[in-house]
Amino acid sequence: MHYDQIVEHGLEVLKGAGIDAKFLNLGSETQSQNRINRQYTDSLTFEMRILGSVVSDTRTKIFGVEIPAPITPAPIISSRILDRLAEQESGMSVKSSADRVYLEEYARGVREAGSVMWWGADSKNEMIERTIKQGTKTIVIVKPMRDKAKAKEIVAWAERIGCIAVGMDIDAMYFEKAFDEDEGPDYLAQQTIEDLKRYREATKLPFIVKGILSAHDAEVAVREISASGLVVSMHGGEAIDYTAPVLKVLPEVRAAVGEGVEVLVDSGFRRGTDVLKALALGADGVCFGSLMVLAFAAYKGDGISGMLKTLYRELQRTMSYTGCKSIDSIDKSIIRPV
Ligand SMILES: Cc1cc2nc3c(=O)[nH]c(=O)nc-3n(C[C@H](O)[C@H](O)[C@H](O)COP(=O)(O)O)c2cc1C
């Protein structure tokens, strides 16, 4: 499957269903950070190192699991685009997590591509258990919920059902907001460091703090919460406007936490070249949100696996041209700011 084929067909499907493609571009008010984030990513170019290079090996591990390339979908709990498509197809209204059966098909695509499925979770969702039984390597990112006892229970449940890691998206605790929405939902609430420590202590799994966008938060997450993984992220734009570009903050986060912590990054990633920039600047892996929604709209689970495999190939080709033989051998010397 070709990148443009998936994207163009996805956009056609949205148009045919009367869904405005602007909903793919998150952003809390002005979408400034998505623009600034893209400009920064685009300002980084590569040094070519062709002579003596080989066809690169993109295989790596995250949280102990081998994957074909350091590329996974980002956590997803629901999508209003995919809800609308599902409603139009089935004629039934999608109201709760249990109605979002499309996420089971989404997970099938992830499994087919050998990647790791990340679910956002506000409840113990049977679909997650089922997809794990089918062999999907899974990470659950619990929502920062007002009901903290329930959040803790979901953390412990994630371990019982066989997830490879669990965590929380702290950048949703003051309410997510897309440009055309009021902030919400109400079940989200501020979490203290003590709360996060309690979640961390409720499991032996690697604990991930998602929504890190400063060396300050990275240090606190590791020192006080004992996080074993971080996701540098601005939630695709839904945190606040005018956040610093993720690739600008990433090297500062890596320097703050050293090599012992797994550092993933998301927000604004669209191509394999973007992934190599992130790996060169200190990431262990990159997650894709909006692009996966579009790929799913296009071809369901096959769109997910097709897009992931396309990104693996793009990464491999760019690594080969820049003389990076393996993921471990990538460093920042290949990056040349314009
Ligand atoms: C439809 C959709 C649902 C999402 N749900 C969650 C979620 O439940 N938990 C979470 O941590 N992030 C969630 N996110 C944010 C993504 O995990 C990720 O941070 C963001 O999409 C990355 O930016 P990108 O869309 O530019 O790739 C969601 C994003 C989308 C597009």
Side-chain angles (χ1 to χ4, degrees):
M1 245 185 236
H2 193 266
Y3 188 97
D4 286 349
Q5 179 195 349
I6 302 174
V7 168
E8 280 163 23
H9 186 57
L11 291 171
E12 268 169 32
V13 170
L14 298 194
K15 202 170 166 198
I19 300 169
D20 198 318
K22 74 179 181 193
F23 295 127
L24 283 167
N25 184 9
L26 301 173
S28 55
E29 281 135 25
T30 67
Q31 298 163 313
S32 52
Q33 69 282 54
N34 292 342
R35 207 171 54 242
I36 294 165
N37 199 46
R38 188 69 247 167
Q39 278 164 2
Y40 188 75
T41 303
D42 286 344
S43 76
L44 305 173
T45 67
F46 295 115
E47 179 168 299
M48 296 284 266
R49 296 181 191 166
I50 302 166
L51 292 176
S53 75
V54 296
V55 175
S56 304
D57 183 353
T58 62
R59 282 173 305 169
T60 190
K61 280 188 176 175
I62 62 165
F63 302 108
V65 168
E66 190 160 311
I67 49 177
I71 295 173
T72 71
I76 182 169
I77 186 167
S78 64
S79 154
R80 55 178 161 168
I81 291 179
L82 301 182
D83 282 355
R84 278 273 295 281
L85 288 174
E87 282 172 348
Q88 289 182 8
E89 263 176 36
S90 67
M92 315 233 300
S93 75
V94 174
K95 288 202 188 80
S96 69
S97 295
D99 299 331
R100 298 198 168 92
V101 282
Y102 61 77
L103 285 174
E104 219 169 314
E105 165 67 4
Y106 186 111
R108 180 189 69 77
V110 177
R111 184 167 68 245
E112 214 275 306
S115 192
V116 169
M117 176 75 188
W118 296 62
W119 295 76
D122 58 8
S123 60
K124 298 177 199 167
N125 181 340
E126 278 178 18
M127 262 189 296
I128 305 180
E129 296 189 39
R130 249 193 324 270
T131 55
I132 291 176
K133 283 193 187 128
Q134 288 159 355
T136 317
K137 302 285 182 241
T138 299
I139 296 173
V140 160
I141 299 295
V142 182
K143 299 306 293 181
M145 295 157 60
R146 192 176 299 286
D147 186 341
K148 294 173 182 181
K150 187 173 175 193
K152 191 172 154 201
E153 268 176 36
I154 301 172
V155 169
W157 165 82
E159 178 176 333
R160 282 201 306 279
I161 64 170
C163 288
I164 63 167
V166 63
M168 181 168 278
D169 51 330
I170 57 163
D171 56 357
M173 69 164 81
Y174 293 105
F175 303 119
E176 300 166 39
K177 182 175 192 281
F179 58 94
D180 64 326
E181 287 178 328
D182 293 331
E183 66 273 16
D186 279 342
Y187 76 87
L188 300 175
Q190 200 237 349
Q191 311 287 311
T192 64
I193 291 177
E194 288 306 315
D195 292 330
L196 286 155
K197 274 164 114 168
R198 273 192 288 276
Y199 306 144
R200 201 293 151 259
E201 284 158 14
T203 181
K204 292 192 188 63
L205 289 178
F207 190 82
I208 302 167
V209 178
K210 176 172 181 274
I212 296 291
L213 211 48
S214 63
H216 169 274
D217 281 359
E219 261 176 54
V220 174
V222 172
R223 193 184 61 236
E224 297 197 34
I225 302 161
S226 307
S228 29
L230 304 176
V231 184
V232 173
S233 171
M234 40 97 158
H235 218 102
E238 285 183 296
I240 53 167
D241 284 350
Y242 294 101
T243 44
V246 287
L247 290 187
K248 182 119 179 139
V249 179
L250 175 63
E252 297 164 20
V253 166
R254 175 54 83 195
V257 302
E259 292 302 319
V261 175
E262 296 203 30
V263 177
L264 290 304
V265 62
D266 73 26
S267 298
F269 290 88
R270 297 294 179 263
R271 306 293 307 220
T273 44
D274 297 344
V275 175
L276 183 54
K277 291 176 190 182
L279 300 177
L281 293 172
D284 294 308
V286 175
C287 312
F288 288 74
S290 310
L291 189 64
M292 292 296 143
V293 170
L294 191 57
F296 189 86
Y299 298 112
K300 305 263 170 51
D302 293 344
I304 297 288
S305 61
M307 181 54 86
L308 285 168
K309 288 176 187 172
T310 301
L311 293 169
Y312 301 165
R313 283 196 302 277
E314 287 186 352
L315 173 64
Q316 184 183 47
R317 187 164 175 275
T318 318
M319 282 173 63
S320 302
Y321 271 100
T322 51
C324 303
K325 292 184 170 59
S326 63
I327 298 298
D328 284 350
S329 72
I330 300 170
D331 68 40
K332 67 176 188 306
S333 67
I334 57 166
I335 299 288
R336 300 183 61 124
V338 174

